[in-house]
Amino acid sequence: MTMTAPKQIKRYRDPLSPKPILDRPALLKSLKSNGIILKNGQLDLFYQLLHRSGYPPIKEFVSELRGEVIVAVVVDSNNNNNADDGSVSVAGGSSSSSSVVSRNNKIRTKNAISSRSGRRAQLPKSFLEFLANITVNDNSDDDNDNNNNDECCFATLTSKVQTHQTSADGTTTKLAVQLQDGHIVESVLMRHEGRVTICVSSQVGCAMGCTFCATGTMGIRGNLSSGEILEQLVHGSRILASETRSDEDDIDQKKQKGKRLDIIRNVVFMGMGEPLNNYPNVLSACRAMIDRRLWNLAHNRVTVSTVGVVSRMRDLTRDLPEVNLALSLHAPNQEMREAIVPAARGTPLESLIEALDEHMMALAKRKLEGNRNPQGSDQDGNVGVKEFNMEERQSASKKKRAMIEYVMLEGDTSTIEAAHQLGKLCEGRHLVVNLIPYNKTDVKDKLNCPSEEHMQEFRQIVSSYGSFCSIRRTMGADIAGACGQLVVEQEKKKQQQQLDVIDIEDGPFRNDGSGKRAVTVLSKREKNENETHGGSSHGDETVDPWIRRLTIATAVTATCFVVSGTLLLLQKRKR
């Protein structure tokens, strides 16, 4: 049986080609390099129209803007792999009136295009030519398209939904989103009563190495661009739209109640990766989410979660103080935290709480000082510390939340003493403490979640110190809903499929009659060591077979030497 060595997992990301059109900084850079200058608001207008059109392929969208006749192509909604294409064909000729295209990937937005007649939006001809000439087909399977390294190559969507699973109760849908370079990231749709929240990823893997997190076992493999982060919202919105179309009766009932579950209302950066380690792209994505011309989310509906990168927490307070900030604390003191969050070493707990407190009170301080700069007069980038009374803190928390995420694990971090320590740490700050029941994952340490009764007692103790403390509702446990859990499980399944048994009679250099030698499969231990050390497999395929042959030859020689030596000793003893 001929076997090939399994491919090693890449520990880095190649430059994107094509680039996501939603990556605004990349598009601006490309426009500048091509000498295309847009007036103020024109690029905003382009993104606004693209969003309201449901993110069709760029060439199709440009044809619509030019007034060309568009012929809709029906997409089979039952085919999950192709449901995101939404492709159409363009007929020859042009029309003075704008075309109306029916797409299955149409998403509902808060700011849909008005049906009233009026002047059509105008974009520079040079900009439309730029878009029409340097774009590729979205989600194209043609290697010739995706291997183009042109810096000006863009596509509406560069990722696709590989799989998506919905929990038995229908409240949670987990998406495995495949990026154009083959990496997989996760997004989760969570349907609450009257609202939908999406949890997005900001990195492939994570460098923080939290002992209880499945993503932490992957290591860091690269950052997502701002466009790839926003594409997760597009994929989630299309799934919600397809569900809405599939049951018209439910739609009527939800409209009567005034509750819509076909639109994303909240976004939380609590998926794979540490968002603040990918700060520029996360910041750009957040600005698009709260832009009234695009996703139009309320500022307090976007939450950035961090393990604790203090300098970036203060940067976020300076650049975007309106969004929520959540600190993944997980322990009430420095010693306990360092044991389960290796990245906490060297970052005092007090500095994290202070930075979180400053973020919550930044808008109140800005209003008090009458200055739009939340830094006040400080020159080092830190928000000045000011004592606010409880009423002022309560008022600030209604507009924006500063939260502490605390995973509940059996052990020292969930004892009654730990509850008192956590309550004292948050006392007088009016922070929100969110207790997260541990969702079992396949990590090195076998961890468990405390009982419901114990968590309720823990919550009551923390609340007694004046903080609002709640226990997060567990969702998606039956579909590997924990961060990184689905991707890790898929990778392990692939590795297991690649491991096969070779008959010992075949030997390492069995000839299968085709004139080619079979390649010896690495042992499971060797393969795990290779994956741990990382590195690219490019160029190793030609070297590894010779190394294996030399290793085997050396082993055979050593064995013969030992056997012959043993026989000689036995003969001497007989004499």
Side-chain angles (χ1 to χ4, degrees):
M1 182 182 297
T2 302
M3 296 295 299
T4 57
K7 293 182 178 180
Q8 295 181 353
I9 300 173
K10 282 188 176 182
R11 301 292 178 180
Y12 63 90
R13 296 195 67 195
D14 296 322
L16 299 180
S17 181
K19 299 179 183 297
I21 196 68
L22 296 180
D23 190 345
R24 186 182 182 116
L27 181 58
L28 284 171
K29 180 181 178 181
S30 183
L31 290 172
K32 183 178 180 180
S33 64
N34 283 271
I36 299 176
I37 301 176
L38 299 179
K39 296 181 180 178
N40 290 335
Q42 287 184 331
L43 188 58
D44 294 327
L45 175 62
F46 164 74
Y47 280 119
Q48 181 182 28
L49 296 175
L50 183 66
H51 177 78
R52 295 181 179 185
S53 297
Y55 297 96
I58 298 178
K59 289 186 178 180
E60 171 198 327
F61 181 63
V62 172
S63 298
E64 289 185 49
L65 293 177
R66 289 173 171 172
E68 297 177 351
V69 179
I70 310 295
V71 181
V73 176
V74 178
V75 180
D76 183 7
S77 61
N78 294 326
N79 187 347
N80 293 331
N81 293 331
N82 298 325
D84 292 336
D85 293 342
S87 58
V88 301
S89 60
V90 182
S94 61
S95 173
S96 59
S97 61
S98 60
S99 307
V100 178
V101 181
S102 176
R103 301 188 188 92
N104 282 348
N105 62 359
K106 185 72 175 179
I107 61 177
R108 192 177 83 85
T109 64
K110 290 184 179 180
N111 45 10
I113 299 177
S114 173
S115 60
R116 293 180 297 178
S117 59
R119 183 179 178 183
R120 293 180 58 201
Q122 298 293 325
L123 290 171
K125 183 178 179 181
S126 59
F127 179 56
L128 297 180
E129 291 291 338
F130 170 83
L131 294 174
N133 295 331
I134 57 173
T135 57
V136 298
N137 294 328
D138 293 46
N139 296 333
S140 174
D141 292 331
D142 188 357
D143 292 338
N144 293 331
D145 287 339
N146 292 332
N147 288 337
N148 187 0
N149 291 324
D150 192 347
E151 287 291 330
C152 300
C153 192
F154 287 89
T156 305
L157 296 179
T158 61
S159 61
K160 61 182 179 181
V161 178
Q162 183 191 58
T163 60
H164 67 274
Q165 300 173 283
T166 300
S167 59
D169 58 7
T171 61
T172 309
T173 300
K174 187 145 192 178
L175 289 69
V177 180
Q178 182 176 345
L179 308 178
Q180 62 172 291
D181 54 6
H183 288 295
I184 306 293
V185 295
E186 297 176 1
S187 305
V188 182
L189 288 170
M190 295 167 285
R191 301 169 185 82
H192 306 274
E193 185 177 354
R195 68 185 188 278
V196 177
T197 299
I198 186 170
C199 176
V200 298
S201 297
S202 56
Q203 292 182 308
V204 183
C206 184
M208 294 305 182
C210 298
T211 58
F212 52 85
C213 179
T215 306
T217 64
M218 299 171 59
I220 184 64
R221 301 178 188 176
N223 292 329
L224 268 64
S225 68
S226 59
E228 290 174 316
I229 295 173
L230 293 172
E231 285 180 15
Q232 296 174 64
L233 273 69
V234 177
H235 294 313
S237 297
R238 289 183 174 181
I239 289 178
L240 294 175
S242 64
E243 292 174 350
T244 304
R245 288 192 298 266
S246 64
D247 196 340
E248 296 295 334
D249 293 337
D250 287 346
I251 296 176
D252 294 336
Q253 292 176 4
K254 289 169 186 174
K255 283 183 178 179
Q256 292 174 1
K257 294 179 181 179
K259 297 176 181 179
R260 300 297 299 264
L261 293 179
D262 59 346
I263 190 170
I264 294 172
R265 197 184 80 165
N266 302 307
V267 177
V268 293
F269 283 83
M270 298 181 183
M272 297 170 61
E274 165 56 53
L276 296 188
N277 279 348
N278 187 18
Y279 183 75
N281 291 320
V282 169
L283 181 66
S284 178
C286 286
R287 285 173 171 164
M289 293 172 188
I290 63 178
D291 192 331
R292 295 184 62 184
R293 293 160 295 197
L294 301 178
W295 295 98
N296 195 23
L297 298 177
H299 293 74
N300 61 352
R301 300 296 183 188
V302 178
T303 302
V304 178
S305 176
T306 177
V307 171
V309 185
V310 177
S311 60
R312 287 304 191 184
M313 291 172 69
R314 288 176 173 153
D315 287 342
L316 185 67
T317 301
R318 178 196 65 213
D319 299 330
L320 207 60
E322 299 88 352
V323 301
N324 297 332
L325 180 61
L327 173 63
S328 297
L329 190 66
H330 307 315
N333 57 59
Q334 186 69 20
E335 183 180 357
M336 289 185 185
R337 191 165 192 263
E338 290 180 359
I340 61 175
V341 183
R345 298 184 181 95
T347 306
L349 201 61
E350 293 74 16
S351 64
L352 292 175
I353 300 299
E354 181 183 348
L356 185 66
D357 188 42
E358 289 170 350
H359 184 82
M360 185 179 75
M361 304 308 301
L363 292 179
K365 180 178 182 295
R366 173 188 292 184
K367 182 179 179 180
L368 183 65
E369 295 179 349
N371 191 334
R372 293 185 62 86
N373 180 9
Q375 291 177 283
S377 59
D378 293 344
Q379 300 299 323
D380 59 358
N382 296 335
V383 178
V385 178
K386 179 185 182 298
E387 293 296 333
F388 291 92
N389 59 41
M390 188 56 64
E391 291 182 359
E392 291 173 323
R393 288 184 174 278
Q394 290 177 349
S395 176
S397 66
K398 291 179 181 179
K399 300 177 183 178
K400 178 186 61 178
R401 287 188 173 184
M403 294 176 284
I404 288 180
E405 306 289 329
Y406 197 97
V407 65
M408 294 300 292
L409 302 168
E410 281 189 350
D412 295 338
T413 60
S414 62
T415 61
I416 300 302
E417 181 183 358
H420 285 287
Q421 291 179 1
L422 179 60
K424 291 179 181 178
L425 188 64
C426 303
E427 189 175 14
R429 300 181 184 272
H430 208 72
L431 301 173
V432 175
V433 180
N434 201 350
L435 304 181
I436 307 172
Y438 176 65
N439 191 351
K440 286 188 178 182
T441 59
D442 190 10
V443 295
K444 180 180 179 181
D445 299 327
K446 299 304 178 183
L447 306 172
N448 295 296
C449 179
S451 65
E452 179 68 24
E453 294 76 12
H454 183 81
M455 289 191 292
Q456 288 292 348
E457 184 179 3
F458 193 98
R459 181 192 67 80
Q460 292 174 2
I461 293 173
V462 176
S463 299
S464 66
Y465 286 87
S467 296
F468 178 81
C469 184
S470 63
I471 300 175
R472 180 181 293 178
R473 175 186 173 191
T474 301
M475 303 176 70
D478 59 331
I479 55 171
C483 172
Q485 190 174 0
L486 184 59
V487 171
V488 171
E489 287 184 0
Q490 287 182 349
E491 289 184 355
K492 288 186 176 180
K493 286 180 180 179
K494 289 181 180 179
Q495 293 173 7
Q496 189 62 34
Q497 290 172 357
Q498 290 172 339
L499 290 173
D500 200 351
V501 178
I502 299 179
D503 193 293
I504 193 170
E505 294 181 357
D506 290 339
F509 303 114
R510 176 185 58 83
N511 194 317
D512 58 6
S514 62
K516 297 181 179 179
R517 300 287 186 178
V519 180
T520 305
V521 179
L522 289 174
S523 69
K524 192 170 184 179
R525 178 180 177 184
E526 291 172 335
K527 186 179 72 171
N528 289 338
E529 289 177 354
N530 288 341
E531 290 181 354
T532 302
H533 289 88
S536 172
S537 60
H538 179 71
D540 292 343
E541 295 178 357
T542 58
V543 177
D544 285 351
W546 288 104
I547 294 176
R548 296 190 193 105
R549 294 173 186 177
L550 290 173
T551 302
I552 293 171
T554 303
V556 171
T557 303
T559 303
C560 293
F561 177 79
V562 172
V563 171
S564 60
T566 303
L567 292 174
L568 287 174
L569 289 174
L570 291 174
Q571 289 178 356
K572 288 182 179 180
R573 288 180 181 179
K574 289 180 180 180
R575 293 176 183 176

